[in-house]
Amino acid sequence: MAVITDFALQGAQMLLVLLMAPLLTGFVRKVKARLLSRQGPPLLQPYRDLIRLLRKDVVLANNASWLFRVIPYVVFAATWVAASLIPTFRSGLLFSWTADLIAIIAVLGSARFFLALAGMDAGTSFGGIGSSREVMIASLAEPAMLMIVFVIALIAGSTQLSTMAAFMNSADVGLRVSLGLALIALIIVAVAENARIPVDNPATHLELTMVHEAMVLEYSGRHLALIELAASLKLLLYVSLIACLFAPWGISPAIAAPTLLLIGAAAYAGKIAALGFLLAVFETSIAKMRAFRVPEFLGAALMLALLATLLRFVSRSF
Amino acid sequence: MISIALLGVLALVAIAPIAIAMSGSPNATGFVYGSCLIVTLILFLIALEILFAHPAASTVVLPLGLPWLGAHFRIDPLAAFFLVVVNLGGAAASLFALGYGRHEETPQRVLPFFPVYLAAMNLVVLADDAFTFLVSWEFMSLTSWALVIAYHRVHDNIRAGYVYLLMASFGTLTLLLAFGLLAGSDGGYAFDAIRNSHPAAGTAALVLILVLIGAGSKAGLVPLHAWLPLAHPAAPSHVSALMSGVMTKVAVYGFIRIAFDLIGQPQWWWSLVVLGVGGVTAVMGVLYALMQRDLKRVLAYSTIENIGLIFASLGLALAFKAYGMNVAAALALTAALLHVFNHSLFKSLLFFGAGSVLSATGTRDMEQLGGLIHKMPQTAFVFLVGCTAIAALPPLNGFVSEWLTFQAILLSPQLPSWGLKLMVPAVGALLALSAALAAACFVRAFGITFLGRSRSPEAAAAQETDTNSLAAMYALAGACLIAGILPGFFIDALAPVVQQLAGGRMPVQLGGEWMSQWTSIVPIAESRSSYNGLLVFAFMFIAGMVTAFAIHRLASDKIRRGPAWGCGYPDASVATQYSASSFAQPIRRVFGSLVFGAREIGTMPPPGSIAPARLTVRLRDLIWDFTYAPIASAVGVIADRLNYLQFLTIRSYLSLVFGALVILLTVLATWP
């Protein structure tokens, strides 16, 4: 019986992230539009877009290879698996020990690796520019992310997300300089990883400054739908990660009554909405930066995270 | 067991004269590589058997070499593990060469040296006294040098061979001095005698530095790496695979044997040196790799990066060992050894892939390649597996060893020393940076070579490689996947080696409850960290399959073909594609000005002129310019000055000899 409940909860988590991801994207778009005094698309527009794209034929470039057709599934699967391993409403899910936070970051790295390859497959200059800038951004964002993981892992004594969330929820944490630095760095990394303003503009086309959109320019139909969904999942993943590590209140423990699960779910929805709102406010209040300012922005995250790690190594109390 | 292993080595040596006798015969290639394949497979199985069933060391002394010493040979778990690496790589290279070697224009320049080279690497690992070790080491250097200059008509190869020979001699010299110091004044050159002699702290430190230089120059540690990217690509591709995948590991073996086994208890500050050198090597290696346009040179530089990673883990292990934290030392050492094994798999695989591309297109220049995924789909697939593995992406094997290294780093705040407290996080950041850059590097290597449109007629006319080569590559790709999804098996296999060197071991990985523990790797405790490659792979596979099935059934499965969209700008010319250099441009801009002194000079023609605009990119190899070039010019100047010594009278020569004798005797007389 317990095993069945565990499986059901793990399945619920997988479905939950899959269903919520487009909603979060739609919500951020809506808030951004309202902040700009526009009506904005309805909240459910991303779902409609996905369904429309799924029904359309795929138009492949003449020299697109088999890899180009496989990659959307790989990217989607990797992102989905990574997103379902982050504790959302309940920690200690059945498969939570499958991958710790370092491994989750690396699974996302796999998705990015293949997406960058997809950009180069058609042999257009736009795909190349997207891929080359994406790997440049990743080459700074990934080490920054790893250093952030180090900081929190050193504080919590674990890289296992459930343990980390439990520790961050306990009274032992307190206010720490290193955690503050790590939070700022994590926000910068999350903004860059999800191709949000000021690093990249998710709404742009036909501009030499675009990165993510240039990389997936040749995709259409169901392939594009999967890539869009993966991008939404990734946004949800990072928001959930910030919520799980820095606002772990309400996450239900591994053995809990159904009421606690409900509280966990409600708390999760509230946290995601709040963070989505903050993201929209942040994006509307800042301009996109030039591509070669991005390394400085991300370099700051890397330095902050490194500083936080050094502080942790030097003293336990920071 | 050890006598069978030695017989195997003898068989390898015996193949060489037969190869010479058969030179010119069309069957020579098949015979040499076929028999090398059989012998290395036997040696591989013997080594496995010893590693799993007979962890106790077995020794044999043969009446060869120095008369009062003899030749000592010994197999302990450490040697058995490296025998596994050497012979697995050797067997794969032989299988690959059964197909690849047929394209050879001058097989007689490769065939006799290849089996001897394999034998020499085996002998280094088997040797149990300083003399045998050094002779085998030098033998390994010389045979590989002969293979590097196999294509001696290419001018660059002769230079590569020259630099390699110089660096190899230098490395052997430092190792000779290290063993001299270890053996002490009474000259106990057998490893057993050295192990029991416990050198003084100062001597031990000097030995460690000498070994780091000697073995590090062979392995490719920065700044002693200069020969490696010249020599490894110059050799035929299956030899490149052996040099990069296996010989650098033999060098790592040399370092481990001396630093962890012979020298006794380490001091904490040694690890500072090893960690620092490892971290810098990792980042420098991958940055260099990103700037290259020669595919095999990219791979050679990436070897330097991986060696850096291995040495960083070894440094951590030394630090933990110095403070008696045996479990942590075992974790770091396991990470290093697992990466040794993993890197030998995927680097051989990638060099084989590069060799197949080379023989299909006749070029290693990535700017001339492209679109090969259509012409060589199978090579492209296995090469992609290798790229994913070396980029440390789950669920393949490169990630596992990287993950273990990070777990070891997370244990290091417990180290009491302040120097290490500051050094370890910095090295951790360097390793994280190098991992991310490695992913960028292999996106570039695969994307430019195999994706896009063909950049030259040769690439457009390429054909799939032969079955033997493909079999070797598929075998290695399969091994990469298995080592990635069942790492617990490999970690358990390393336990006797780690036990021997670190005095502790990681928890048993296999044999727990099925599912929750059976395939997971748990370095310390499950609540702390765990990773299950099999489940990650299975989840991704099932999720992808279910999605594909659902979409194809429920939504749409139609495909139309059309010209690439490219925002409506038709790219008629293949030159409009991103090239290897343009792909690396953002990274060159971020890191290049510091590391390479990179300069981009753009010249625009004046208005009205129809002359083309030019962009010149200048990269400097600062390490070469500031270390090697001054040494080379100093040697030249000194040689010029000393030239007059060649033209003295007989009386002057005699008085010089007399003077030297007097000085030497004075030194000897006043020696404490």
Side-chain angles (χ1 to χ4, degrees), chain B residues 519-582:
Chain B
T519 56
S520 293
I521 47 174
V522 182
I524 307 294
E526 196 181 304
S527 67
R528 200 180 156 90
S529 54
S530 63
Y531 166 70
N532 191 322
L534 181 63
L535 273 186
V536 169
F537 176 67
F539 281 160
M540 280 168 62
F541 189 75
I542 294 170
M545 282 296 171
V546 168
T547 316
F549 181 75
I551 287 180
H552 282 245
R553 281 302 288 274
L554 302 175
S556 156
D557 62 351
K558 295 202 189 64
I559 281 196
R560 282 192 282 140
R561 289 269 178 181
W565 158 232
C567 274
Y569 297 99
D571 289 351
S573 159
V574 291
T576 59
Q577 295 180 87
Y578 250 52
S579 65
S581 320
S582 47

Side-chain angles (χ1 to χ4, degrees), chain B residues 470-534:
Chain B
L470 279 176
M473 291 192 275
Y474 270 110
L476 290 176
C480 283
L481 182 66
I482 292 173
I485 61 178
L486 294 172
F489 173 75
F490 293 85
I491 292 173
D492 279 354
L494 285 173
V497 187
V498 175
Q499 182 76 47
Q500 171 196 0
L501 298 174
R505 54 163 295 168
M506 282 175 64
V508 180
Q509 305 291 326
L510 297 182
E513 237 179 284
W514 193 77
M515 282 299 276
S516 76
Q517 281 152 22
W518 185 61
T519 56
S520 293
I521 47 174
V522 182
I524 307 294
E526 196 181 304
S527 67
R528 200 180 156 90
S529 54
S530 63
Y531 166 70
N532 191 322
L534 181 63

Side-chain angles (χ1 to χ4, degrees), chain A residues 58 60 62 97-98 158 218, chain B residues 453 528 530 532 560 562 565-566:
Chain A
V58 164
L60 282 180
N62 279 329
W97 41 263
T98 302
S158 164
E218 295 301 322
Chain B
R453 292 174 282 167
R528 200 180 156 90
S530 63
N532 191 322
R560 282 192 282 140
W565 158 232

Side-chain angles (χ1 to χ4, degrees), chain A residues 115-294:
Chain A
L115 204 54
L117 284 182
M120 303 174 77
D121 190 56
T124 60
S125 35
F126 273 106
I129 201 174
S131 299
S132 97
R133 288 187 176 174
E134 174 80 5
V135 298
M136 181 265 283
I137 292 174
S139 71
L140 289 164
E142 252 182 23
M145 188 65 208
L146 268 175
M147 296 318 285
I148 297 163
V149 177
F150 278 12
V151 177
I152 305 170
L154 289 175
I155 292 173
S158 164
T159 52
Q160 210 64 24
L161 260 176
S162 291
T163 319
M164 284 167 135
F167 183 86
M168 299 297 275
N169 211 3
S170 67
D172 306 341
V173 186
L175 275 178
R176 288 169 193 267
V177 184
S178 52
L179 272 183
L181 296 177
L183 177 61
I184 298 171
L186 180 56
I187 290 171
I188 295 178
V189 169
V191 164
E193 287 274 0
N194 286 294
R196 312 300 299 193
I197 295 173
V199 172
D200 192 3
N201 188 346
T204 180
H205 260 297
L206 275 176
E207 263 187 73
L208 280 173
T209 51
M210 60 191 181
V211 179
H212 180 83
E213 293 297 321
M215 202 164 49
V216 303
L217 199 60
E218 295 301 322
Y219 275 115
S220 55
R222 56 180 182 273
H223 294 160
L224 185 59
L226 282 176
I227 289 191
E228 297 273 320
L229 189 52
S232 301
L233 272 170
K234 195 171 173 187
L235 179 63
L236 181 72
L237 184 155
Y238 270 94
V239 172
S240 308
L241 184 64
I242 294 176
C244 156
L245 289 176
F246 289 95
W249 313 294
I251 295 184
S252 116
I255 302 156
T259 47
L260 280 180
L261 284 180
L262 279 179
I263 293 173
Y268 177 63
K271 283 183 275 188
I272 297 299
L275 286 170
F277 182 79
L278 288 178
L279 173 65
V281 173
F282 178 71
E283 277 201 298
T284 41
S285 58
I286 197 164
K288 185 181 170 321
M289 50 174 80
R290 286 173 55 216
F292 287 104
R293 296 294 298 279
V294 173

